[in-house]
Amino acid sequence: MSEGINYKFWTVCMVQDGDFVLLLDRQHDNFKGYIPPGGKVEFPESFVEAAIREVREETGLEVSNLIYKGLYEYINPKKNDRYMIFNYLSKEFKGKLLENSPEGKPVWVNVNEAQYLPMQNSIRRRFPLFFEEGTFEIQVEWDNVKNQEGKVTIKKT
């Protein structure tokens, strides 16, 4: 990796059961809204191991046969930051949902109705891409002056 660049890695795993997906109704801190399970990759675990762990910790479910769907990344050239989120889909799981998750209440939501729920822009932007053929790569360049998202590039493969 390039020297002087600050890398951080996260994973997200969309769990699908027919026409429904498992989302967390997150109502704490600055990242409110409905989100798929996910979180930080702990060194030295793999990205897939991190996605499986995060789903288990946040929902109680054990997922398997993860399908890689794409990369979502924030880059900040002024600060040399690159935050990469590896996105997966799983249609295979077992276990019982947690009653109280620290990240938010796990709820099954119809895929077609999810678009009407409150979500962060980053989740809403990639949500439909989980259910399309192929993979995606989304790069968001952070605008330091405005302290908000700047240029967004979306590539489908």
Side-chain angles (χ1 to χ4, degrees), residues 86-106:
F86 293 81
N87 296 268
Y88 298 92
L89 174 70
S90 178
K91 297 180 182 182
E92 297 182 35
F93 60 89
K94 62 183 178 181
K96 183 180 174 194
L97 282 181
L98 295 174
E99 293 286 326
N100 297 306
S101 170
E103 294 302 320
K105 180 174 177 48

Side-chain angles (χ1 to χ4, degrees), residues 30-134:
N30 292 331
F31 204 74
K32 289 183 169 69
Y34 286 80
I35 62 171
K40 195 171 185 178
V41 177
E42 296 175 0
F43 187 81
E45 75 184 334
S46 74
F47 299 115
V48 170
E49 288 170 334
I52 291 169
R53 176 185 51 77
E54 287 289 343
V55 171
R56 183 179 59 251
E57 289 175 359
E58 295 179 357
T59 72
L61 299 182
E62 291 287 336
V63 292
S64 57
N65 293 322
L66 276 62
I67 302 163
Y68 176 74
K69 290 306 298 178
L71 176 67
Y72 192 101
E73 68 175 336
Y74 281 96
I75 60 167
N76 186 329
K78 300 286 187 213
K79 294 184 177 181
N80 282 344
D81 289 337
R82 182 171 221 156
Y83 300 162
M84 303 173 82
I85 306 164
F86 293 81
N87 296 268
Y88 298 92
L89 174 70
S90 178
K91 297 180 182 182
E92 297 182 35
F93 60 89
K94 62 183 178 181
K96 183 180 174 194
L97 282 181
L98 295 174
E99 293 286 326
N100 297 306
S101 170
E103 294 302 320
K105 180 174 177 48
V107 292
W108 289 102
V109 178
N110 184 288
V111 172
N112 296 322
E113 295 172 9
Q115 65 181 327
Y116 302 109
L117 296 173
M119 287 182 187
Q120 295 287 321
N121 286 339
S122 64
I123 304 296
R124 188 173 307 286
R125 185 177 288 133
R126 69 190 128 143
F127 186 86
L129 302 176
F130 280 94
F131 312 105
E132 295 180 5
E133 288 293 319

